[in-house]
Amino acid sequence: MARFGMPALLCTLAVLCAALLAAEPKSKSCSEVRRLYVSKGFNKNDAPTHEINGDHLKICPQGYTCCSQEMEEKYSLQSKDDFKSVVSEQCNHLQAIFASRYKKFDEFFKELLENAEKSLNDMFVKTYGRLYMQNSELFKDLFGELKRYYVAGSVNLEEMLSDFWARLLERMFRLVNSQYHFTDEYLECVSKYTEQLKPFGDVPRKLKLQVTRAFVAARTFAQGLAVARDVVSKVSVVNPTAQCTHALLKMIYCSHCQGLVNVKPCYNYCSNIMRGCLANQGDLDFEWNNFIDAMLMVAERLEGPFNIESVMDPIDVKISDAIMNMQENSVQVSQKVFQGCGPPKPLPAGRISRSISEGAFSARFRPYHPEERPTTAAGTSLDRLVTDVKEKLKQAKKFWSSLPSNVCSDERMAAGNGNEDDCWNGKGKSRYLFAVTGNGLANQGNNPEVQVDTSKPDILILRQIMALRVMTSKMKNAYNGNDVDFFDISDESSGEGSGSGCEYQQCPSEFEYNVTDHSGKNANDKASSPGALVGAQPYLLAVFCILLLVMQREWR
C-alpha cells in the first residue's frame, strides 16, 4: 500500500487542482471595449485585452472588469465633456434663435428710422423747398434723438418731442411774422405758449403718445430678445460638480467596464442624473416663463396700438398737417402771443423780409391710408417679424424644466423611454427602479443618483434670475404704455450685433444692458436722477439680500 501512496496522493491533488481550475470563470475578452476606447483617441496600452480584477476602480462597480485605473480616470473626463457638449447643443439652438431674431429686429428698427427720415426729407424738399432746407436741422435733430433713444435709451421721449414742437413753433412764428424782429428772449416766451395755444392742433399730443408708446415697446422688446440670448449663453456653460461627474461616469461609461458596450443608460436613470446635475438651471424656469409671457404681451402691443411701423411711416404726413394747422391759425396765434409776450419791434422799412406767401405752405400731402403700406425695412414688415418671434417664444417656454428630459432624449445619452428592461441602471443590465425626482435645487435632497448641496444656489444662476425679473418688470411697463428706465452698464461686446459698425453717435453692437456683469460699474448719469434712483432701489435691495444670504451660507 505504501508503494501506491505517493502516486495516489499526486493523482488526488491533480484532480482537486483540475476541479479548482474548472471552477475559475474563464477570463472574457475586452477587445470591443478596447476598440471603442481607442476610437476616442485614448492610448490602447491603457486597456487590457481580457478582464482583470477591478479592486482599483473608485466609481465603477468592482469585480472583474475591462477597465484599468487609467481608463476610469479618462472616462471620467470624457463623460464630463460629453455632458457639457449635449447641454451646450440644446442651449445653443435656443440662443441662436434669440440672436438671429434680435439681429433682424435691430436691423428692421434702424432701417425703419432711416427710411422715415429719408421720406420726410424728400417730401418736405418737394413741398416746402428752400424754407425746409433752411430749417432742416430741426428735423434732423428729431430723428437723431429717436435713433439715440433706440440705441442707448438715454433720451426722455416726451421732453424731446415737446422741445421739437417748441422749436418748430419758434421757426414758424418767425416766418409768418417776418416783418418783425424777435430776440432770443422773445422767442423763448413764444415757446411757452405751445401747450396753451395748440398752434399745431392736436397733432403734437397724439404723436407724442404714439411715438412714446411705440418706441418704448419696440426698444424694450428688442432688448428682451438680447437679454434672452445672453441668459441662455451664460447658463449653457455648465461646470459639473465632482458628485455630478461621478454620476455621469457611472451612467455613461461604467457599463463599458462590464463589457456592455451596446447597452445604453435607462431613461429614468438618466433623468435623475440630469436633474441633479442641472438642478440650478431648473430654478430658472419660473422667472423664465414669466419673462416669456411678458414678451408675448408686448408682442401683442407691437401688432396693435403700439406698432412702430404705423407710427413712423406717416410721420411726415402728420408733421405736415401740424405745419398746415399753424399756417391756417397763424393770425390768431400771433395775436395771443403778442398779448402775452408784448408787441414785437418792427424791422426798419429797408430790412423788412419778404412776407411768406400763402403758396409756401399751401401744399398738402395726399391722405395716408395704412392699407397701402408696403414692406418698409430690412425686406420685411413688423407684423411678419412679430408673428415669427411669437411662435419661437411659445416654443421656448418651460425650456429649463424640460432640459433634463431633452438631454436624455438624445440617443447618445440614454435608451428610449420604452426600453426599460434592457438598459444600464448603474449596476447592470436591468430595469431602473427608483422614481424620478423633481426639477430644481430644492427637489434634489432625495435624488438617488447625485449628491446635491441644496443650501448653496449657484450665484451665476441667481444673477440670471434677477436679470429676467428686472426685464419682465420693464416689459410690463412697456405693455402698459409707460416709459422704461434703461440702466446702461458697460459690457464687452459679444459680437452678436447687426455688424453695421458705429452708428448714431455710439458704437455698441447690442443694447448696453448686461445681464450678468456684476463688476460694480454703475449705470450712466441717467440713473443718478431722483426718479431713476427710486425705481432702482427695489431691484438693488433684492440683489443685495440674495447675495448676502449666499455669502452667509458660504461663511458657515
Side-chain angles (χ1 to χ4, degrees):
M1 290 292 292
R3 218 170 26 166
F4 297 100
M6 186 58 68
L9 180 61
L10 292 173
C11 287
T12 301
L13 290 174
V15 170
L16 289 173
C17 288
L20 288 172
L21 288 172
E24 284 271 338
K26 187 176 181 181
S27 180
K28 295 180 181 178
S29 171
C30 295
S31 59
E32 185 63 14
V33 175
R34 197 167 191 248
R35 184 187 68 79
L36 290 174
Y37 180 77
V38 173
S39 71
K40 292 186 176 295
F42 298 132
N43 192 333
K44 66 179 181 180
N45 295 328
D46 295 341
T49 57
H50 290 79
E51 286 184 331
I52 58 176
N53 188 293
D55 290 345
H56 56 275
L57 297 179
K58 298 178 180 179
I59 305 300
C60 294
Q62 295 180 338
Y64 284 94
T65 180
C66 285
C67 289
S68 64
Q69 182 177 349
E70 291 79 10
M71 288 178 69
E72 186 181 45
E73 291 172 356
K74 291 179 180 178
Y75 271 149
S76 178
L77 296 174
Q78 185 63 47
S79 63
K80 188 176 179 179
D81 290 341
D82 291 349
F83 166 70
K84 293 169 71 173
S85 176
V86 174
V87 172
S88 180
E89 285 178 17
Q90 294 282 337
C91 293
N92 286 348
H93 175 68
L94 184 63
Q95 187 206 6
I97 289 175
F98 283 114
S100 63
R101 271 57 183 186
Y102 163 72
K103 184 177 180 181
K104 194 67 176 177
F105 265 87
D106 188 53
E107 290 174 351
F108 175 83
F109 290 140
K110 288 178 179 177
E111 191 169 322
L112 182 66
L113 289 172
E114 293 286 356
N115 291 349
E117 182 176 12
K118 184 178 185 300
S119 176
L120 183 143
N121 183 74
D122 292 346
M123 298 184 79
F124 275 35
V125 167
K126 180 180 178 181
T127 306
Y128 302 119
R130 184 175 58 85
L131 288 175
Y132 167 71
M133 298 296 292
Q134 292 172 345
N135 296 278
S136 61
E137 79 281 356
L138 180 64
F139 302 91
K140 186 176 181 180
D141 290 345
L142 169 65
F143 282 95
E145 289 296 284
L146 290 175
K147 293 170 187 175
R148 192 158 70 90
Y149 173 81
Y150 174 73
V151 172
S154 55
V155 175
N156 186 308
L157 288 175
E158 292 192 2
E159 290 182 3
M160 182 273 292
L161 289 169
S162 295
D163 181 63
F164 166 75
W165 291 113
R167 291 174 64 197
L168 183 59
L169 176 59
E170 291 177 12
R171 304 293 179 94
M172 289 287 298
F173 191 79
R174 192 196 295 267
L175 287 171
V176 298
N177 295 282
S178 57
Q179 69 274 29
Y180 296 107
H181 170 72
F182 299 104
T183 63
D184 290 341
E185 291 77 11
Y186 195 96
L187 291 176
E188 283 183 16
C189 179
V190 171
S191 66
K192 294 177 181 178
Y193 283 85
T194 307
E195 292 289 334
Q196 178 182 340
L197 298 179
K198 299 190 185 319
F200 300 109
D202 207 28
V203 174
R205 184 190 65 82
K206 289 182 178 178
L207 196 60
K208 182 189 294 184
L209 184 64
Q210 292 168 348
V211 167
T212 301
R213 288 180 171 180
F215 269 77
V216 168
R219 186 177 196 274
T220 307
F221 190 77
Q223 192 187 34
L225 293 173
V227 168
R229 174 201 64 195
D230 294 342
V231 167
V232 175
S233 175
K234 294 293 183 182
V235 178
S236 66
V237 182
V238 290
N239 292 301
T241 63
Q243 293 78 8
C244 170
T245 303
H246 293 165
L248 291 169
L249 166 63
K250 191 175 179 182
M251 180 186 87
I252 301 174
Y253 290 112
C254 282
S255 58
H256 289 209
C257 296
Q258 295 191 13
L260 303 174
V261 293
N262 295 317
V263 180
K264 295 181 179 179
C266 300
Y267 183 84
N268 287 348
Y269 175 43
C270 174
S271 295
N272 270 336
I273 291 177
M274 291 305 133
R275 293 186 183 208
C277 290
L278 298 171
N280 285 287
Q281 283 78 358
D283 284 342
L284 272 172
D285 209 54
F286 179 76
E287 288 300 337
W288 176 263
N289 292 339
N290 288 341
F291 166 76
I292 295 294
D293 287 339
M295 287 282 288
L296 289 169
M297 289 167 59
V298 175
E300 291 179 3
R301 292 295 204 205
L302 288 175
E303 290 178 317
F306 298 176
N307 189 314
I308 191 173
E309 195 172 17
S310 64
V311 172
M312 293 308 298
D313 276 356
I315 195 169
D316 47 10
V317 178
K318 294 176 180 178
I319 294 176
S320 178
D321 285 343
I323 291 173
M324 298 304 168
N325 284 329
M326 170 60 188
Q327 171 66 10
E328 292 168 358
N329 300 313
S330 61
V331 175
Q332 298 92 316
V333 170
S334 297
Q335 288 176 351
K336 291 182 179 179
V337 169
F338 294 160
Q339 291 174 5
C341 299
K345 286 184 178 182
L347 285 172
R351 296 178 55 195
I352 295 179
S353 301
R354 181 172 55 89
S355 298
I356 306 300
S357 66
E358 281 292 319
F361 288 102
S362 62
R364 281 184 181 271
F365 298 146
R366 63 181 177 82
Y368 170 72
H369 300 291
E371 63 271 12
E372 297 176 7
R373 185 174 72 240
T375 294
T376 53
T380 186
S381 69
L382 185 62
D383 292 340
R384 289 196 289 271
L385 282 175
V386 172
T387 299
D388 171 65
V389 173
K390 281 173 65 178
E391 180 184 347
K392 302 303 181 185
L393 287 170
K394 291 173 183 177
Q395 294 172 1
K397 199 168 182 182
K398 297 184 178 179
F399 174 81
W400 301 108
S401 59
S402 302
L403 184 58
S405 300
N406 291 336
V407 170
C408 292
S409 295
D410 191 309
E411 61 180 8
R412 294 170 295 178
M413 298 300 290
N417 204 2
N419 186 11
E420 298 179 0
D421 293 316
D422 297 327
C423 56
W424 172 253
N425 65 5
K427 296 180 180 178
K429 182 181 177 182
S430 183
R431 176 183 287 267
Y432 183 71
L433 300 178
F434 291 102
V436 177
T437 189
N439 279 302
L441 193 63
N443 289 317
Q444 303 312 308
N446 296 319
N447 191 313
E449 305 301 335
V450 187
Q451 291 182 357
V452 180
D453 187 349
T454 58
S455 67
K456 291 184 179 180
D458 189 293
I459 190 64
L460 179 113
I461 299 295
L462 290 178
R463 288 173 178 169
Q464 309 317 306
I465 289 173
M466 183 56 63
L468 291 170
R469 189 173 296 162
V470 170
M471 198 65 227
T472 299
S473 177
K474 295 180 187 296
M475 287 287 173
K476 291 179 178 178
N477 281 332
Y479 174 80
N480 292 323
N482 300 325
D483 202 352
V484 176
D485 288 328
F486 292 99
F487 300 97
D488 296 335
I489 303 174
S490 61
D491 183 22
E492 68 279 1
S493 172
S494 65
E496 292 291 348
S498 62
S500 54
C502 297
E503 292 185 285
Y504 311 147
Q505 303 170 359
Q506 297 201 17
C507 193
S509 64
E510 60 186 65
F511 289 121
E512 297 175 351
Y513 179 84
N514 183 355
V515 298
T516 55
D517 183 12
H518 284 237
S519 60
K521 294 181 181 179
N522 229 348
N524 25 356
D525 295 340
K526 179 183 173 185
S528 65
S529 67
L533 198 57
V534 172
Q537 286 176 352
Y539 302 132
L540 296 175
L541 182 59
V543 171
F544 178 76
C545 291
I546 291 174
L547 294 177
L548 183 60
L549 288 172
V550 172
M551 293 171 66
Q552 282 181 332
R553 287 172 178 155
E554 291 177 347
W555 290 337
R556 290 174 188 170

